[in-house]
Amino acid sequence: DAVSGLRRAGVHVGVLSSPDLDNPTCASAKLAWLEKHFDRELAEHAILSKDKTLVDCDVLVDDKPEITGFQTPRWRQVLFDHPYNRHVNLPRLRSWTDWPTLLSLLPGA
């Protein structure tokens, strides 16, 4: 519902995931899961990278509290709420039903 709602609102929705390099089938399994549970378009445009700071987007929803990498990210992080990240003061989603709050974080909102 969140992906569909964001798309209806005119948002380009993508997936950025960090594959497990010790699992040789991890990347292909992630893409197959996206296609099965969402659609081929989301799977085809997914980005798999161990360094999420290299990806240019407006908002990144992630459960990892501190994302570091090669460069300073341009995106604004929104934490997907979990007990292990509650010490970090960032905007957060407690559930995917809260997806409309993401619209206020986009440029021009």
Side-chain angles (χ1 to χ4, degrees):
D1 291 341
V3 170
S4 296
L6 287 164
R7 285 175 171 169
R8 281 192 307 274
V11 175
H12 172 79
V13 178
V15 171
L16 172 58
S17 184
S18 181
D20 178 357
L21 298 178
D22 294 326
N23 178 346
T25 62
C26 178
S28 60
K30 284 179 182 265
L31 297 175
W33 187 92
L34 286 170
E35 185 172 2
K36 178 180 178 182
H37 294 282
F38 293 94
D39 56 36
R40 185 172 196 87
E41 179 184 353
L42 200 60
E44 286 178 345
H45 293 99
I47 298 171
L48 303 178
S49 176
K50 292 303 285 182
D51 186 349
K52 294 180 180 180
T53 69
L54 298 174
V55 176
D56 186 27
C57 63
D58 294 316
V59 175
L60 175 72
V61 178
D62 202 298
D63 64 326
K64 186 175 180 182
E66 289 102 19
I67 298 175
T68 59
F70 183 70
Q71 63 187 24
T72 302
R74 191 187 70 77
W75 37 257
R76 180 168 184 189
Q77 184 176 357
V78 174
L79 280 172
F80 195 86
D81 190 53
H82 284 285
Y84 57 82
N85 66 25
R86 293 196 177 131
H87 67 284
V88 177
N89 185 23
L90 285 173
R92 62 184 59 237
L93 289 182
R94 300 202 190 289
S95 164
W96 280 110
T97 59
D98 297 337
W99 69 264
T101 62
L102 296 173
L103 299 175
S104 66
L105 301 174
L106 295 171

